[in-house]
Amino acid sequence: MSLLPSTQLRKVVEQPAFHFLSAQLTDLLNRFQPSPESVVLFLAVLIGGGSGMGVVTFHYLIDIIHHLMLENFMGAIGAWGAWTLACVPTLGGTIVGFMRWRTSDFGPGLSSLIAASSPGEIQRKLRPVTKMLAASVSLGSGASLGPEGPSVEIGANFGLLLSVVQQVSQERQRLLLGAGAAAGLAAGFNAPIAGVFFALEVVLGTTAFATSAVSVVLLAAVVAALVAQIGLGAQPAFTLPAYQVRSPLELPLYLGLGLGSSVVSLAYTQSIRLAKACFHGKVPYFQWMKRIPEPIHPVIGGIIVGTVAIFLPQILGIGYGTVEAMLQDAEFSLQLLVVLLVVKLCMTAISAGSGFVGGVFAPAMFLGASFGAAYAKILAWIAPEIGQFMAGPPAYAMVGMAAVLAASVRAPLTAILMLFELTRDYRIVLPLMAAVGLSVWLVERMKPNSNSNTNLQQIGLSELKDEQADILRQILVEDAMLSCPKKLLSTMTVIEAALEMTGDLCRSALVVNDAGQLVGIVSLEDINRALSVWEKYPNSSSEIRADIAKQTLIDISTTDLLYAWLDEPLADALDRMAGRGLHQLPVVARDNQERILGLLEREQIALTCNVAVTRRSLRHYLPMTIKTSVSI
């Protein structure tokens, strides 16, 4: 019998195959000696093709399990009564629970994949096939989730796998991950443009729009969409009606729809968080859930969803059929739309919280469609005279889909382009942009999407475990600041300051007056901007150089400052820096902001945090007790 734990044994067994694949691909590329750009484009084609085939396989698996569950299984027990419908999600929950018991972990989600940084960590965690099977069982048995999240993760996993095989840099790894995510969404929705913008907007960040990343992501999305069209057909996910424009006066009504959509999306995302906390016993009156093994949670979720489905079968599964019925102006009463909105929201939260595997895109669009249709009916009921200026409920359902989706996943451009691709109607763009823009803006105001862990990842730290994140929240500013920062007099000329800072290799310096009081802060970027002005006016370079020679440091320094306090948590200061995109903060006394105590820089924060995490990890290997506080 092996003495290795099961996870280590699996890693050892998989290692030769993994290195063989890496060696073969590397040998192929070395034989032809392609340029770096050609290698990336070649990998983009591989990612697009692999992701497209993975998504096609995933959709076929959902159809097969759906057929087995709702036709074969229900055909065998359906004669016992209508209550047997509850057995289908319960059986699905039982299978998913068994998989969780055997596997323990289905692998990281998209946010964890984005945060991953070291190849060893990625190899250990990736389980795309297991997660795809669990998602197929979940969706095929009626869990109130969607296929788009797993589709995106299939592509992201494939892109990450190729980056590990090629042992590329972290920046290139992120690019291939984004290409895989774009390919997954493009194949899942047959919407390649929306897939590209999802990758650029959510995975790579807005800076990707100005780089060659766009071509790589475009190529992967196009190849994946082509493969999906061959395997699943060229039809879009929804057959949407033609949009009708009744009057320009209708635009304010869509702003009201955006306002309501922000409330729906906020309730949606918060209910999912609440349900997960309840199943983990972190909510008052639900602590008893801690005593229930986690593999039993999907069974409980399946029983709840199945019981509700006996009375309201529209909430089962992905819900595309019900959404399309709303968009085709099928007869839905206002009462039914409101009930579907509330019940679908609750069942989606329970499905996600109990451990079923699936995405949040499809439920968000279901909620948006039902809310939009209900909103139009309420307006017509309250003020019948405006009916002649309004489009029908399907128009509001379409815009509501995009508004709730955009606010839920914080991806407005993706939602706008996705609906535009599905409708192929330019007339819908104006109300669509108004509703989506207002909805996302309101959600950002009510629930800002910023936290210390995200900011730590942005300064170069990898994904943090819960216990490590807790330690980092305990670090104070005084542990990470430079206690003797560079100080320059405000009367010093720019040229003198440049010589001082370059001689001491300083990126930034504090600007003080003759009394030693803080009046500003200056960086090398500020000095470089001032020194390079003469390049814009070569014909007047002598006059400009003379002016620069007279310019003092206070003229180019930043005087409108944010401060950090010596005894505040480092995470709070980091949040403040992220809000303004700053690289440094002066540390001052609370009772006197002109009294300098130190300087807080991003690079020093990253070093301090990494040291704290390393010291915490060393406790498991060294017999001595190592302090977790850090003094730099």
Side-chain angles (χ1 to χ4, degrees):
M1 178 180 293
S2 172
L3 299 179
L4 287 172
S6 59
T7 54
Q8 295 183 11
L9 179 61
R10 182 172 61 249
K11 184 174 180 179
V12 171
V13 172
E14 291 176 352
Q15 200 81 351
F18 182 81
H19 283 301
F20 176 77
L21 176 61
S22 174
Q24 290 295 314
L25 185 56
T26 303
D27 182 64
L28 177 65
L29 294 175
N30 289 339
R31 185 179 306 171
F32 292 98
Q33 293 293 320
S35 65
E37 293 76 12
S38 301
V39 172
V40 174
L41 292 179
F42 171 69
L43 293 177
V45 173
L46 286 182
I47 291 171
S51 302
M53 289 186 286
V55 171
V56 170
T57 304
F58 175 51
H59 279 263
Y60 276 121
L61 280 174
I62 295 175
D63 290 339
I64 291 171
I65 294 172
H66 183 79
H67 177 81
L68 292 174
M69 290 280 195
L70 288 178
E71 293 187 22
N72 294 9
F73 180 61
M74 275 299 296
I77 67 172
W80 300 347
W83 64 269
T84 55
L85 181 61
C87 298
V88 175
T90 304
L91 177 60
T94 303
I95 298 173
V96 173
F98 177 77
M99 295 178 69
R100 284 196 178 278
W101 174 63
R102 294 293 298 172
T103 309
S104 173
D105 178 24
F106 289 152
L110 181 61
S111 59
S112 298
L113 289 173
I114 294 173
S117 60
S118 67
E121 187 77 5
I122 294 168
Q123 289 181 38
R124 185 177 62 83
K125 286 188 174 181
L126 286 185
R127 297 188 181 95
V129 176
T130 304
K131 197 164 192 176
M132 182 176 69
L133 291 174
S136 303
V137 173
S138 299
L139 300 175
S141 61
S144 181
L145 295 167
E148 298 78 24
S151 297
V152 170
E153 289 174 6
I154 288 171
N157 275 283
F158 197 82
L160 210 50
L161 178 63
L162 281 182
S163 71
V164 172
V165 168
Q166 283 295 292
Q167 299 180 349
V168 299
S169 65
Q170 184 176 355
E171 181 182 356
R172 187 63 55 83
Q173 183 182 98
R174 185 90 172 235
L175 175 58
L176 296 180
L177 170 67
L185 188 65
F189 265 114
N190 194 15
I193 299 177
V196 168
F197 273 83
F198 176 78
L200 298 178
E201 191 175 26
V202 176
V203 181
L204 299 176
T206 53
T207 55
F209 286 93
T211 68
S212 59
V214 177
S215 59
V216 177
V217 175
L218 273 171
L219 185 57
V222 168
V223 173
L226 180 62
V227 172
Q229 287 181 10
I230 295 173
L232 302 174
Q235 71 280 1
F238 299 105
T239 303
L240 302 182
Y243 178 75
Q244 296 179 349
V245 179
R246 292 288 182 88
S247 169
L249 300 176
E250 195 178 5
L251 186 60
L253 301 180
Y254 286 103
L255 293 177
L257 178 62
L259 173 62
S261 297
S262 66
V263 176
V264 172
S265 64
L266 194 59
Y268 174 50
T269 53
Q270 292 302 108
S271 65
I272 293 176
R273 291 192 181 97
L274 178 62
K276 290 181 178 180
C278 288
F279 275 96
H280 286 89
K282 298 179 180 178
V283 177
Y285 306 109
F286 285 91
Q287 289 93 339
W288 55 271
M289 289 293 294
K290 290 181 180 179
R291 298 192 293 270
I292 300 178
E294 192 170 337
I296 305 298
H297 293 176
V299 181
I300 299 174
I303 293 173
I304 297 173
V305 173
T307 303
V308 174
I310 297 174
F311 308 97
L312 207 63
Q314 294 94 333
I315 59 96
L316 273 180
I318 301 171
Y320 281 173
T322 304
V323 172
E324 192 154 342
M326 295 178 189
L327 298 176
Q328 296 299 332
D329 207 12
E331 189 57 38
F332 282 88
S333 66
L334 176 59
Q335 181 181 5
L336 178 58
L337 289 171
V338 174
V339 170
L340 285 174
L341 174 64
V342 175
V343 175
K344 182 70 173 179
L345 187 149
C346 295
M347 292 303 102
T348 302
I350 290 173
S351 297
S354 63
F356 280 108
V357 182
V360 297
F361 272 44
M365 290 189 292
F366 187 108
L367 297 176
S370 55
F371 173 74
Y375 176 81
K377 289 180 179 290
I378 291 173
L379 286 180
W381 175 64
I382 293 176
E385 63 275 5
I386 67 172
Q388 58 180 328
F389 302 108
M390 287 178 56
Y396 287 85
M398 284 191 290
V399 176
M401 284 170 53
V404 173
L405 175 62
S408 299
V409 300
R410 311 291 178 97
L413 292 178
T414 301
I416 291 171
L417 288 168
M418 183 182 296
L419 197 70
F420 180 58
E421 277 192 280
L422 295 177
T423 59
R424 298 180 175 90
D425 191 342
Y426 183 76
R427 295 174 297 176
I428 199 174
V429 170
L430 189 60
L432 185 62
M433 292 175 65
V436 167
L438 180 61
S439 178
V440 174
W441 183 81
L442 288 172
V443 169
E444 285 287 350
R445 301 285 78 74
M446 292 185 285
K447 196 74 174 178
N449 191 21
S450 176
N451 56 66
S452 302
N453 205 31
T454 300
N455 294 332
L456 288 169
Q457 292 165 11
Q458 289 175 352
I459 64 172
L461 296 178
S462 60
E463 180 188 5
L464 302 173
K465 298 179 181 179
D466 291 339
E467 63 271 16
Q468 294 172 336
D470 290 339
I471 291 175
L472 298 183
R473 294 188 191 100
Q474 298 171 9
I475 299 177
L476 301 179
V477 167
E478 64 177 331
D479 297 325
M481 73 177 188
L482 296 171
S483 56
C484 298
K486 183 72 177 177
K487 298 176 185 178
L488 299 175
L489 283 173
S490 59
T491 55
M492 181 179 289
T493 66
V494 173
I495 295 176
E496 291 172 340
L499 292 172
E500 282 268 348
M501 294 180 69
T502 54
D504 293 340
L505 300 178
C506 294
R507 176 174 180 170
S508 57
L510 300 178
V511 181
V512 297
N513 57 20
D514 293 333
Q517 297 173 326
L518 177 66
V519 295
I521 191 168
V522 69
S523 66
L524 284 176
E525 289 81 1
D526 298 326
I527 291 178
N528 289 336
R529 279 194 295 269
L531 294 178
S532 61
V533 169
W534 68 272
E535 297 177 354
K536 300 178 182 178
Y537 308 97
N539 296 330
S540 305
S541 59
S542 58
E543 294 86 349
I544 292 176
R545 289 176 182 176
D547 291 338
I548 293 177
K550 300 175 184 177
Q551 196 173 30
T552 59
L553 202 55
I554 193 64
D555 297 326
I556 66 167
S557 61
T558 302
T559 56
D560 182 17
L561 299 176
L562 292 178
Y563 302 102
W565 319 116
L566 198 68
D567 57 348
E568 73 171 327
L570 183 60
D572 294 345
L574 188 57
D575 287 339
R576 204 175 305 126
M577 294 171 69
R580 290 265 294 268
L582 302 176
H583 287 273
Q584 58 274 320
L585 279 183
V587 182
V588 298
R590 286 187 181 273
D591 56 349
N592 184 7
Q593 294 183 356
E594 295 176 343
R595 180 186 168 202
I596 303 169
L597 300 177
L599 180 64
L600 193 63
E601 292 188 323
R602 280 201 170 203
E603 293 78 5
Q604 194 68 19
I605 293 174
L607 174 61
T608 303
C609 293
N610 274 320
V611 168
V613 173
T614 303
R615 288 184 172 178
R616 169 67 174 180
S617 300
L618 282 173
R619 281 187 166 187
H620 301 287
Y621 301 96
L622 299 180
M624 65 188 69
T625 301
I626 300 177
K627 294 182 180 181
T628 57
S629 60
V630 183
S631 298
I632 301 296

